[in-house]
Amino acid sequence: SSFSRMRGRRPRLPTFTHLDDEDADGVGCADEISVMADAQGRVYIDARFPTADDRNKIRDSISGVMTNIVDAMNGMIMQLDWMTQPSKMNALNKASNIQVNVAFPDFILDNNMLDA
């Protein structure tokens, strides 16, 4: 507390229990923590974009920007004089397969996938 600090006392530090042999490497803990980012992201999405309409607006807006970026990249690839035609086709194929996660990944709104 602030009163303790004013009097020169340090606040108590948390204590941790010793891991048992089954979880000595911390794998159980790591498994639990790995989903926290997704859960935290979901809380943010629910707060920042509370309705489906809000979510659709941001996605539609940003999707248009991403489409323009990919289209511009495709145009630049086609203008390159140092690439062969097959290389350009491969580059265009890669560009068409770019996965665009606009605002947030779809699974974050699916409670079943989030809990999996």
Side-chain angles (χ1 to χ4, degrees), residues 59-102:
R59 285 189 145 186
D60 291 345
S61 171
I62 301 302
S63 289
V65 171
M66 289 305 302
T67 299
N68 289 342
I69 290 170
V70 172
D71 288 347
M73 185 170 59
N74 289 342
M76 288 186 281
I77 289 169
M78 291 310 294
Q79 292 178 6
L80 295 173
D81 58 0
W82 55 268
M83 280 183 108
T84 64
Q85 197 61 28
S87 293
K88 289 179 182 180
M89 292 299 110
N90 285 336
L92 293 173
N93 186 40
K94 285 183 180 183
S96 71
N97 289 313
I98 291 174
Q99 181 179 359
V100 178
N101 285 323
V102 176

Side-chain angles (χ1 to χ4, degrees), residues 3-112:
F3 180 73
S4 295
R5 278 184 262 152
M6 287 181 5
R7 294 183 37 188
R9 293 187 200 160
R10 289 187 177 183
R12 268 192 193 177
L13 296 175
T15 57
F16 300 97
T17 59
H18 181 70
L19 295 173
D20 59 19
D21 290 338
E22 184 177 308
D23 196 27
D25 58 1
V27 171
C29 180
D31 287 344
E32 297 301 319
I33 290 176
S34 67
V35 298
M36 293 301 287
D38 297 335
Q40 183 179 9
R42 173 62 184 272
V43 170
Y44 175 78
I45 296 301
D46 288 345
R48 180 65 179 87
F49 308 107
T51 68
D53 188 48
D54 294 330
R55 294 171 183 159
N56 290 336
K57 282 180 185 175
I58 188 66
R59 285 189 145 186
D60 291 345
S61 171
I62 301 302
S63 289
V65 171
M66 289 305 302
T67 299
N68 289 342
I69 290 170
V70 172
D71 288 347
M73 185 170 59
N74 289 342
M76 288 186 281
I77 289 169
M78 291 310 294
Q79 292 178 6
L80 295 173
D81 58 0
W82 55 268
M83 280 183 108
T84 64
Q85 197 61 28
S87 293
K88 289 179 182 180
M89 292 299 110
N90 285 336
L92 293 173
N93 186 40
K94 285 183 180 183
S96 71
N97 289 313
I98 291 174
Q99 181 179 359
V100 178
N101 285 323
V102 176
F104 49 86
D106 291 332
F107 79 87
I108 212 160
L109 298 176
D110 184 339
N111 289 337
N112 292 327

